[in-house]
């Protein structure tokens, strides 16, 4: 059964979400994990991929925007359709606006939450969906950390 982690950030901007994804990805890749980042669109996936490639001067986060014709072995795959799922799911980072039906295929699911009303409401709904699927979400409140 998948483990779900919700990281609640203090900021409301998407850039904070992408910076946190970079930190999370650095730790996960360092621990030997493969990440699949689920987005709502190709455009969002390309923006995130660009941010990951330039995450920091001492950070190298190779990513690949998935498509139906090219397979990649980059440790971070980005996609927006079920056909883009990796053959060996490991960690799902859900940056989409919906609850991923494919959650059970992954060992771990991560939600990065920013302080925008629409994202907070979507997060509440996904939290309930995880619970309904028998997954107890872990909350990590990053708002009070320096």
């Amino acid at each position: 059964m998948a483990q779900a982690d919700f990281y609640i950030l203090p900021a409301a901007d998407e850039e904070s979400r992408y910076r946190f994804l970079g930190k999370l990805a650095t730790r996960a890749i360092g621990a030997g994990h493969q990440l699949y980042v689920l987005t709502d669109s190709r455009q969002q996936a390309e923006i995130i991929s660009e941010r990951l490639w330039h995450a920091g001067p001492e950070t190298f986060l190779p990513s690949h925007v998935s498509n139906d014709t090219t397979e990649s072995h980059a440790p971070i795959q980005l996609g927006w359709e079920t056909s883009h799922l990796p053959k060996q799911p490991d960690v799902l980072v859900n940056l989409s606006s919906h609850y991923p039906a494919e959650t059970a295929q992954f060992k771990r699911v991560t939600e990065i939450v920013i302080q925008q009303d629409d994202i907070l409401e979507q997060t509440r709904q996904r939290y309930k969906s995880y619970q309904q699927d028998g997954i107890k979400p872990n909350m990590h409140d990053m708002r009070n950390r320096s």
Side-chain angles (χ1 to χ4, degrees):
M1 177 172 294
Q3 173 184 329
D5 291 290
F6 284 69
Y7 291 91
I8 314 300
L9 304 184
D13 61 297
E14 286 290 330
E15 286 301 318
S16 294
R17 204 177 198 193
Y18 301 151
R19 280 192 303 277
F20 188 82
L21 172 60
K23 292 175 187 176
L24 186 74
T26 300
R27 291 183 70 194
I29 291 169
H33 293 287
Q34 299 281 314
L35 276 67
Y36 177 71
V37 181
L38 179 64
T39 66
D40 283 321
S41 66
R42 177 183 207 48
Q43 180 182 10
Q44 184 185 17
E46 289 173 348
I47 290 168
I48 294 168
S49 179
E50 182 68 22
R51 298 303 191 285
L52 290 171
W53 277 103
H54 299 95
E58 298 187 20
T59 305
F60 178 62
L61 296 171
S63 62
H64 174 75
V65 176
S66 300
N67 58 49
D68 296 324
T69 58
T70 307
E71 188 173 333
S72 170
H73 298 287
I76 305 171
Q77 303 287 322
L78 297 106
W80 56 96
E81 294 179 0
T82 304
S83 62
H84 300 152
L85 289 174
K87 289 183 174 53
Q88 296 181 336
D90 188 13
V91 178
L92 169 66
V93 179
N94 185 23
L95 295 184
S96 75
S97 58
H98 64 278
Y99 177 74
E102 304 81 12
T103 298
Q105 297 178 31
F106 291 85
K107 296 173 188 155
R108 229 175 148 167
V109 180
T110 300
E111 300 270 351
I112 302 172
V113 184
I114 56 175
Q115 302 300 309
Q116 287 182 10
D117 290 341
D118 57 333
I119 290 176
L120 291 170
E121 181 56 35
Q122 293 163 2
T123 300
R124 289 182 190 102
Q125 294 304 315
R126 288 194 302 273
Y127 185 92
K128 291 176 188 175
S129 295
Y130 287 113
Q131 287 181 317
Q132 289 170 352
D133 282 351
I135 300 169
K136 182 182 180 290
N138 300 309
M139 303 298 289
H140 306 278
D141 191 342
M142 311 304 284
R143 292 174 289 190
N144 297 324
R145 297 185 184 184
S146 50

